[in-house]
Amino acid sequence: MVEGTLNHIMQIIYLLSAIAFIVGLKLQSSPDSARRGNIWAAFGMGLATLATIVIFGYSANATILQYALVFVAIALGGLIGGYMAKTVKMTAMPEMVSFFNGMGGATAVAIAVAEYGGWAARENSSIGEFLSLWLGLVIGGVAFTGSLIAYGKLQGKIKDKVLPAQQVINMLVLIAMAVLGYLLVATGNVLFLYAIVLLSLLYGVLFVMPIGGADMPVVISLLNSFTGIAATFAGLLFNNQAMIIGGILVGSAGTILTVLMCQAMNRSLWNVLVGAFGGGSGEGSTESGEHVHKEANITDVAIMCNYADRVIIVPGYGMAVAQAQHAVHEVEKLLEANGVEVKYAIHPVAGRMPGHMNVLLAEADVPYPKLLEMDDANPLFKTTDVVLVIGANDVVNPAALDDPGSPIYGMPILNVVEAKQVIILKRSMKPGYAGIENPLFFKPNSKMLFGDAKDSLGNLGAEIKGM
């Protein structure tokens, strides 16, 4: 009687948790409400976790020591996660997202390994249950090591590496894991389980290693979806509705975001996975042929902006590196006080992860209505007096429009070249993350403003104040 009542209570709590997940995900669709969305989602997960520990612990006659160990582990993980969240720099946010993706995958692997013994011991165990276990194990392993490789690439410590017959090797590893799964069911030899674990970890490395640095936003989204899918299969093993629903939401959101990222680059997911453009080295020629760039000084730029009707700011990873989001917001406020219309143009794959620029600008309290998506911004450039490109490169590269030989040809970009004046804030003439030279730097209406973006924008604000 008591267990039946507890089970009903558990189902109600899981339903409330699922509602909190969905509300949180909906709120996270806008920077204005994203913080509240995180709180809702965290509340839902906390509620489901606490109820699971208490109710299932009671049903299993858990001891005080077992409860204590669980809550100590939660407290320790919370402290580590809180410390990382508080101390991580915005430039390192993509790496932290990759790391957390990897931890989710590792958790799915641990659950699958732990649950195998229970599955093998039950007389009524089904092949469907084993399939959930196998898929959670494989996808979780791929998400774990794949995310760690992505982490290393984002930090510039791991370079792209394409093996001879890479796709054939990948396919052989997948087939081997399927065969080992069959042998594990047929023989019950646990060594086959550990072999699957090792191969799934290897496949994660092989899967991400060839992918070019410029494709990292897509890879991060894809690995995020893998983590959600792995959590779903782990939930199926436990018949835990909260895990299933949470995993489905994460997996589907990550998949949708991956598709949107591919559309923003005008590339198929398969092309991203095998195309491997952009090594992220930042090396390349600074000038070629008769290309000659022009330089601007702070006073010239201040005059251009202060007497413009419209200024559009295009942020990129260089803004994150310089931590210049607050400085650019100050320039925006000064210009608007002088009657200048100021907008921000955000490319979907600007930065190192989806939404990177939105997060940075939200941190600086830039009003969300000022952030224009690519399709809304592009029609405005022809009637814009000045565009300030702050650390962006590949997403404003006109080679995507008019150079069929360019690796990014066909990728939708922000058409800043159509503006009357383009001022590009960079430290040097080095190409962007994709390692491709940008003809925008040499256009007649473009000028380079070299230096640290935060310092340059601070000086620009001081010049505007003095006018």
Side-chain angles (χ1 to χ4, degrees):
M1 179 70 178
V2 174
E3 287 194 3
T5 301
L6 290 176
N7 184 59
H8 289 147
I9 293 173
M10 178 67 72
Q11 300 310 314
I12 293 172
I13 292 175
Y14 281 170
L15 176 61
L16 294 174
S17 298
I19 293 172
F21 293 158
I22 294 169
V23 171
L25 189 61
K26 174 62 178 175
L27 290 173
Q28 288 178 47
S29 64
S30 168
D32 284 345
S33 57
R35 189 184 297 257
R36 286 186 288 123
N38 279 331
I39 293 173
W40 271 91
F43 169 76
M45 182 56 70
L47 182 65
T49 301
L50 182 63
T52 301
I53 293 170
V54 173
I55 294 177
F56 275 103
Y58 176 84
S59 300
N61 297 315
T63 64
I64 296 297
L65 177 60
Q66 288 172 322
Y67 276 122
L69 288 173
V70 169
F71 283 108
V72 167
I74 291 174
L76 182 61
L79 288 173
I80 294 172
Y83 175 78
M84 292 178 67
K86 285 288 186 182
T87 58
V88 65
K89 295 180 179 179
M90 286 306 300
T91 49
M93 188 64 71
E95 287 95 314
M96 190 178 79
V97 171
S98 290
F99 178 79
F100 286 164
N101 280 345
M103 293 305 99
T107 301
V109 172
I111 289 173
V113 171
E115 281 299 295
Y116 171 74
W119 177 86
R122 290 195 299 270
E123 292 183 1
N124 59 344
S125 296
S126 68
I127 295 299
E129 290 174 329
F130 177 80
L131 186 60
S132 294
L133 187 150
W134 183 85
L135 287 170
L137 179 61
V138 171
I139 297 173
V142 172
F144 174 53
T145 51
S147 295
L148 294 184
I149 295 299
Y151 178 94
K153 285 193 172 192
L154 289 167
Q155 286 201 322
K157 295 180 179 179
I158 298 177
K159 304 299 181 185
D160 305 335
K161 179 67 176 178
V162 182
L163 298 175
Q166 176 83 54
Q167 299 306 314
V168 174
I169 294 173
N170 288 0
M171 188 59 65
L172 289 175
V173 173
L174 283 175
I175 293 173
M177 286 190 287
V179 172
L180 288 170
Y182 171 79
L183 293 174
L184 179 60
V185 173
T187 67
N189 190 334
V190 74
L191 291 178
F192 291 126
L193 176 69
Y194 297 132
I196 296 172
V197 173
L198 292 176
L199 285 180
S200 68
L201 299 178
L202 173 63
Y203 189 84
V205 176
L206 295 173
F207 177 70
V208 177
M209 189 64 79
I211 300 175
D215 290 324
M216 279 300 109
V218 179
V219 175
I220 291 174
S221 297
L222 185 61
L223 291 172
N224 180 252
S225 70
F226 282 2
T227 301
I229 294 168
T232 300
F233 287 119
L236 288 171
L237 288 176
F238 290 127
N239 193 27
N240 186 303
Q241 287 81 4
M243 287 183 69
I244 294 171
I245 294 171
I248 289 172
L249 290 174
V250 172
S252 58
T255 301
I256 292 170
L257 188 56
T258 301
V259 171
L260 292 175
M261 292 297 102
C262 289
Q263 290 175 349
M265 300 172 71
N266 196 30
R267 302 172 69 198
S268 66
L269 179 59
W270 177 253
N271 184 259
V272 169
L273 298 180
V274 303
F277 87 83
S281 64
E283 300 297 331
S285 62
T286 59
E287 294 185 5
S288 61
E290 298 180 355
H291 289 172
V292 178
H293 67 270
K294 293 178 291 185
E295 295 187 30
N297 59 54
I298 289 293
T299 302
D300 292 339
V301 176
I303 292 172
M304 289 181 199
C305 293
N306 197 51
Y307 296 101
D309 291 324
R310 178 189 293 140
V311 172
I312 294 182
I313 299 168
V314 178
Y317 185 67
M319 187 183 77
V321 172
Q323 287 288 281
Q325 60 269 26
H326 295 282
V328 74
H329 184 38
E330 287 302 314
V331 170
E332 166 218 319
K333 290 190 292 185
L334 289 169
L335 291 174
E336 288 202 324
N338 292 340
V340 181
E341 179 189 358
V342 182
K343 298 289 185 182
Y344 294 80
I346 311 297
H347 193 282
V349 294
R352 294 293 188 268
M353 70 176 184
H356 198 177
M357 297 300 104
N358 301 72
V359 172
L360 281 171
L361 296 172
E363 181 194 12
D365 296 324
V366 174
Y368 180 61
K370 290 185 178 294
L371 310 186
L372 303 179
E373 295 183 4
M374 180 173 58
D375 291 341
D376 297 322
N378 274 339
L380 300 179
F381 286 120
K382 289 182 179 179
T383 55
T384 297
D385 299 295
V386 182
V387 172
L388 295 177
V389 178
I390 307 174
N393 200 316
D394 303 315
V395 298
V396 296
N397 191 335
L401 302 176
D402 52 29
D403 182 5
S406 173
I408 63 171
Y409 180 70
M411 183 181 91
I413 62 165
L414 292 166
N415 298 326
V416 300
V417 70
E418 296 178 347
K420 295 175 183 177
Q421 292 290 332
V422 182
I423 307 299
I424 301 135
L425 283 71
K426 280 178 62 72
R427 293 178 182 271
S428 71
M429 291 293 291
K430 286 185 177 180
Y433 203 47
I436 303 166
E437 185 178 72
N438 193 340
L440 176 68
F441 300 164
F442 314 109
K443 295 293 184 180
N445 60 335
S446 296
K447 291 183 179 179
M448 310 297 298
L449 183 60
F450 292 118
D452 178 85
K454 185 177 181 180
D455 293 339
S456 296
L457 289 165
N459 294 334
L460 178 59
E463 284 283 341
I464 294 172
K465 281 182 181 179
M467 290 183 175

